[in-house]
Structure formats: structure tokens, C-alpha cells
Amino acid sequence: MEKWSVINHYREIINKEFGTIKKFGRIKVALIYPNRYEIAIQNLGYQYVYKKFNEIENVTCERFVLDYLEDNLSLENQKFLREFDILALSINFEEDILSFIQFLKNEKIPVFKDERDDSFPPIIAGGALAFINPSLLIDIVDVVLLGDIDPILENIKEEFNTYSDKNSFLERLLKYEFVISKDKYPGKVLLRNKNTIINSVIKTELGEFANEFLIELSSGCKYSCRFCTATFAYRPFRVFDYEKTFEVIKNQRFSDEIGLISAAFGDLPCVADLLKQFEKFGLKVSVSSLRADTLTNDIISMLKKLGVRSITIAEETCSRKLKKLINKEIDEDVILNVAKEIADVGIENLKLYYMIGLPGENINDVEMIADRVENISKIFFGIQRDKYNRLGKIKVSVNIFIPKPNTPLQYFGLDKKKVLNEKIKLLKKRFGRISNVKYDIMNYNNALLQGFLSRAEDYVKDFYIKLLDNGFDVKRALREADAVKRGEMIYDENYTFLWEKLVKPNYDADIIKREFLKCKEILKRYH
């Protein structure tokens, strides 16, 4: 890639931003998000840590995104990676570690920490993946920071401010309980309190949330869905201070379009008051995925008034057996009634999320998903046509179940390839018959990669080595790493995963085992 092409690309991005920080500091930190700019800028944590690093007196922080894996440069001043003193990785998704490995290799930085001497800068990592499964990181980065960046940096900002050399810096960091390495663990996750509000720092014309001011209303989730890391890894569930939240929106917003981030938006105690305040100030909102059983007609009507044009409902499965298994028991009547009310108030776009490949699932359970989408489409399109003289749009996203760390379903395995492909074939055939419904179904190869990485332990280093040796042929490396066997493997409740050794949970660890045993009883009862 020509250097000027990279420079011009990033200058065009910066010219479309508001809130970019350009600062001179003695210590230069490269903040790396291992994905494209449009993905990175959507992440509130990445934006917030950028702001917090630049608040440290002697530090200047510039962002790196991976629009280019070779000849890459920083966003702010288009500098080379080698010009920075500290490399800080912000990572949330398992697959992104592969892009980071490619990036390091192309920058001629040894991928594994044991192969880097003092001539290379320290590499630190934080983000959701860091405390959900740091097994993926500990062979690569020098240290892993566990938890939310605000309380972490409050503790360690002087270590950055007084940085002089790699070894003493890492030695000082490792004294903190929330910092781990390959040789020093377990660590304790440090979470922020209810008074710390996280919001957008940068306005951009790019990405899914272009020109929106994003703000987080809560962290974690009060519902105990057994497949979801938000329920357990992010405990305790925290609703952030309502008055402070709205104060931030009033005084710091750079847009009248507000993106509300919460795993349980409709169930927040302050939601009605917050929406009324938005209406009073003439603001528009967008919301993340919603639980159907928390959506009242009043909330749906208010969302329509506030400019919401699309609502997402994640039912996950339609089988009563599997609803019990995942502990998300929302009745069919509730789902159909909410779809009716969404259409009735005039919201024209409906997104539906489902999951296949759950433990104990059979082909009839998958047929039920297709039946549900048919019924919803009849109701939704019928009202849109009769009341608004249009069809509206429905988009169905179907993911394959991936066993995730820090969930009761972590002990189950990935469904078999042949079985999954039969289920995918059925859904494609059924969905294809429903007019005006678009759909997106995860394929098996993506599921295998995610399933292998999600529960990765120390053996993942061999997979990384195979990737580096074969020119990043992922399929081949997965095959050589016996990924199918590892992905499909079922463990009993007495097995201790590596991440459980690396991180002390913020919850009673036995709850995961107890909930898993309940799952086994449910499957036995319905067998």
C-alpha cells in the first residue's frame, strides 16, 4: 500500500470527525482497535479510553484502526507504530485477535511476548475480552487489564505519567490486583460505580451510529439468560445515575440524535421519565435490542414520537423447552402482541434475532422459528398495509449458538456441522417464501471459528503459530488445531477452564455450575 494512500484515507476520516484530540505529550500511547474504523468508532469503551489517556498530563494518545494491515498509520497525525512508547489494545471480540496478530507481524513486532526484548514497546490489553477470556491474550500481550477503564486508569495513571522504560513500567503495573500476565494471576475485575457515565467523545459521519451521541444507561443485565455473558461477567447489574445521565446529555451532547445503550432498556426504572425529558428537549433517539416482555404500549408510542424507525426483538428460540433451557421464557402471545403494537404506532422496521444449535434442539424447534416469523410478518405487514398504506420491513438475523465463558452454557459444545447445515437449509427455504422478509444466517465456518476461540485455553498458542506459519489460512489452521473436536466438546461441571484460573469472578462462581445442572435436568425432562 502506498503511504500517501493511507495518509489521505485517514485524513479524510479525521475531516469527518468532531472531537478529535490532538495533543503533545512526552509519552506516546498507540490505542489500537483491531478492526475497521466503522466498527471501532461504534465502541464507547474505545472512545472513552482515548479521552481518558489524553487527560493524563504527560501522555498523548493516538488511535490505530485496522483499515490497513500493512503500512498502517495513526488516525490523528498519520504516524508509524514504531514512533509510540506504549501499545494499548482495546479488544472485545475473539476474532479480532487474529487481525491484531497479522498487524503485529506486518509491523515486524514479534507476536509472542516471550520473543520480544526491551527494544520493543510494552503491549497492554483491555476491553471486554480481557476479562471474559484472557486466555486468548496472555501469550501475546505483556499485561492484561481487567475491568472498566475509568477506575483502572484512576489507579494507574501515574504509571503512564512517569513512564521511563518498559520493564519498570510493567513491574509497577503488575502490583495491582486487576492486572494479570502469563506469569501473574489470578486478578480481580475492577468495575466502575453508578456515578460514572460513559458517552461518545467523537462525532463522525461514518459507521452505523453516524452523527449520534451514544450514552450507556446500564451495564450488565438483571435477567439471568444462561447463554449470555452480560448476565454473569458484568455483575453486578448497574443502572447509572438518571440525573447525571441526563445532565451529560444536556451539557455534553454534540447531536440531537441520542443512541441509548442498555441490555434491558425497557425495564430501566427511569425509562419513562427519561423519554419524556427527551421529548421535552426535542431530541431523537435510537435504542439497542429490547426484551419484548418489557415493552409497554406507552414506551413503544413514546419511542415512535422520538424518531425511532426500527425496533429489535431478540426472542432467541420459539421452543418452550429451549426457552426454559436458556432461561428466557417469553410467551408467543407477548411476541405477537409487541409486533402488532410496533406496527400499530407506525414504526416501519422490525428486526428479529434468533439462535439455532442450542443443546437439545431438534428440527421441529427450528421449524417453529420459521412459523413464528411467518406469523409475525402477517401481523406486521397487515397493519402496515391497512393503516399506513405500505409494507414495512422485517429483517431476521439467525446466529448459531456459541458456548461462551462465564455462562452456564459454557460446558456445552457447538452443534455438529451436518445438523447445523440441515437447519440452515430449512430456514433459508422457509424464509425465502415470505415476501418482503430479509434474512441473514450465520454460516458454519464462522461458528466453528468463534466456537473454537470462545473457549480457548493455553492450546490456542499452537493455533496462532499455525496461522503465522501458513500465511493466515484460517481453515487450515483450524483443521490442524482439531477445532471441530474442541468446539463440540462437552465438559462436566467439575472441569475448570483456564479463564476461571486467570480471573476471580465478581459473582459466586458456583452459580454457573448450579445453573448448568438445571440445564441438564431440563434436557433430561424433555428427552
Side-chain angles (χ1 to χ4, degrees), residues 188 232 235 406-408 410-411 493-497 499-501 503-516:
K188 183 73 174 174
F232 299 94
R235 286 191 176 191
N406 298 287
T407 70
Q410 68 182 9
Y411 300 99
E493 67 276 10
N494 296 314
Y495 184 79
T496 302
F497 292 98
W499 61 81
E500 294 173 320
K501 299 174 184 176
V503 182
K504 299 175 187 175
N506 282 332
Y507 54 87
D508 175 10
D510 287 338
I511 193 172
I512 297 281
K513 296 179 180 180
R514 292 196 299 269
E515 290 295 307
F516 170 64

Side-chain angles (χ1 to χ4, degrees), residues 213 243-254:
F213 180 79
E243 291 183 0
K244 287 195 172 186
T245 297
F246 198 73
E247 198 67 28
V248 168
I249 292 171
K250 281 199 298 183
N251 298 326
Q252 297 183 30
R253 77 177 190 273
F254 47 64

Side-chain angles (χ1 to χ4, degrees), residues 173-239:
L173 286 184
L174 285 167
K175 291 179 180 178
Y176 293 92
E177 189 180 15
F178 51 82
V179 180
I180 64 169
S181 72
K182 185 177 180 180
D183 305 309
K184 183 255 181 182
Y185 58 87
K188 183 73 174 174
V189 178
L190 189 60
L191 299 176
R192 71 186 191 273
N193 61 38
K194 296 179 181 180
N195 295 319
T196 304
I197 311 300
I198 303 293
N199 56 268
S200 294
V201 175
I202 295 167
K203 179 181 179 181
T204 178
E205 298 175 14
L206 303 172
E208 184 179 349
F209 303 114
N211 297 315
E212 288 190 27
F213 180 79
L214 304 179
I215 190 162
E216 191 174 29
L217 302 181
S218 66
S219 182
C221 185
K222 76 174 190 177
Y223 298 98
S224 297
C225 299
R226 296 189 179 107
F227 64 92
C228 182
T229 54
T231 294
F232 299 94
Y234 287 85
R235 286 191 176 191
F237 172 56
R238 288 149 290 152
V239 178

Side-chain angles (χ1 to χ4, degrees), residues 445-509:
N445 288 336
N446 285 343
L448 177 61
L449 176 61
Q450 285 191 32
F452 174 72
L453 292 176
S454 176
R455 297 191 297 178
E457 300 189 77
D458 50 8
Y459 56 78
V460 77
K461 183 177 180 181
D462 291 331
F463 171 70
Y464 296 155
I465 292 171
K466 292 179 188 345
L467 271 178
L468 290 164
D469 290 344
N470 73 18
F472 280 85
D473 183 337
V474 175
K475 285 185 180 180
R476 179 181 164 190
L478 286 171
R479 186 170 61 250
E480 292 174 350
D482 213 0
V484 172
K485 179 181 177 182
R486 292 192 184 278
E488 293 178 359
M489 191 172 294
I490 299 173
Y491 299 86
D492 69 34
E493 67 276 10
N494 296 314
Y495 184 79
T496 302
F497 292 98
L498 180 56
W499 61 81
E500 294 173 320
K501 299 174 184 176
L502 297 174
V503 182
K504 299 175 187 175
N506 282 332
Y507 54 87
D508 175 10

Side-chain angles (χ1 to χ4, degrees), residues 261-493:
I261 310 298
S262 173
F265 172 78
D267 207 41
L268 298 178
C270 58
V271 66
D273 290 338
L274 198 60
L275 293 178
K276 287 175 183 175
Q277 289 290 328
F278 291 153
E279 185 180 26
K280 178 182 176 182
F281 283 87
L283 305 178
K284 301 292 185 183
V285 305
S286 66
V287 292
S288 47
S289 177
L290 302 167
R291 276 185 66 105
D293 55 352
T294 67
L295 285 178
T296 65
N297 184 260
D298 287 344
I299 290 176
I300 295 170
S301 298
M302 185 67 74
L303 289 173
K304 169 61 180 174
K305 288 180 184 177
L306 293 170
V308 170
R309 299 182 58 193
S310 178
I311 284 183
T312 301
I313 297 173
E315 186 181 9
E316 314 299 355
T317 181
C318 301
S319 158
R320 184 161 296 280
K321 166 190 66 179
L322 298 179
K323 285 176 183 281
K324 286 183 177 294
L325 178 80
I326 66 175
N327 199 31
K328 194 171 184 178
E329 298 185 64
I330 303 175
D331 290 337
E332 177 183 5
D333 291 346
V334 173
I335 299 293
L336 297 180
N337 188 57
V338 166
K340 173 182 176 296
E341 291 180 347
I342 290 169
D344 203 47
V345 302
I347 294 174
E348 62 264 47
N349 297 305
L350 178 61
K351 295 179 182 178
L352 305 172
Y353 284 177
Y354 290 98
M355 183 166 31
I356 59 173
L358 282 162
E361 182 184 71
N362 58 45
I363 202 71
N364 292 330
D365 298 323
V366 180
E367 288 272 14
M368 291 172 72
I369 294 174
D371 292 340
R372 178 80 85 247
V373 173
E374 281 188 356
N375 291 336
I376 289 173
S377 66
K378 288 175 185 176
I379 293 168
F380 187 80
F381 292 146
I383 294 172
Q384 294 281 357
R385 182 185 60 246
D386 296 342
K387 192 169 182 178
Y388 299 100
N389 196 30
R390 67 187 180 206
L391 274 178
K393 295 178 182 177
I394 293 178
K395 171 72 181 292
V396 184
S397 292
V398 180
N399 286 318
I400 293 170
F401 164 70
I402 308 295
K404 293 287 187 178
N406 298 287
T407 70
L409 297 191
Q410 68 182 9
Y411 300 99
F412 289 104
L414 194 66
D415 207 353
K416 295 186 181 301
K417 179 178 182 178
K418 182 179 178 181
V419 175
L420 282 170
N421 284 337
E422 287 174 357
K423 294 172 181 178
I424 291 169
K425 183 179 179 181
L426 183 152
L427 288 177
K428 286 182 176 180
K429 183 178 180 181
R430 291 286 306 273
F431 290 161
R433 295 173 179 170
I434 310 173
S435 299
N436 218 43
V437 168
K438 293 184 177 180
Y439 62 89
D440 177 29
I441 304 176
M442 176 188 269
N443 65 54
Y444 174 79
N445 288 336
N446 285 343
L448 177 61
L449 176 61
Q450 285 191 32
F452 174 72
L453 292 176
S454 176
R455 297 191 297 178
E457 300 189 77
D458 50 8
Y459 56 78
V460 77
K461 183 177 180 181
D462 291 331
F463 171 70
Y464 296 155
I465 292 171
K466 292 179 188 345
L467 271 178
L468 290 164
D469 290 344
N470 73 18
F472 280 85
D473 183 337
V474 175
K475 285 185 180 180
R476 179 181 164 190
L478 286 171
R479 186 170 61 250
E480 292 174 350
D482 213 0
V484 172
K485 179 181 177 182
R486 292 192 184 278
E488 293 178 359
M489 191 172 294
I490 299 173
Y491 299 86
D492 69 34
E493 67 276 10

Side-chain angles (χ1 to χ4, degrees), residues 84 102 111 204 214:
F84 291 82
Q102 279 187 283
V111 168
T204 178
L214 304 179

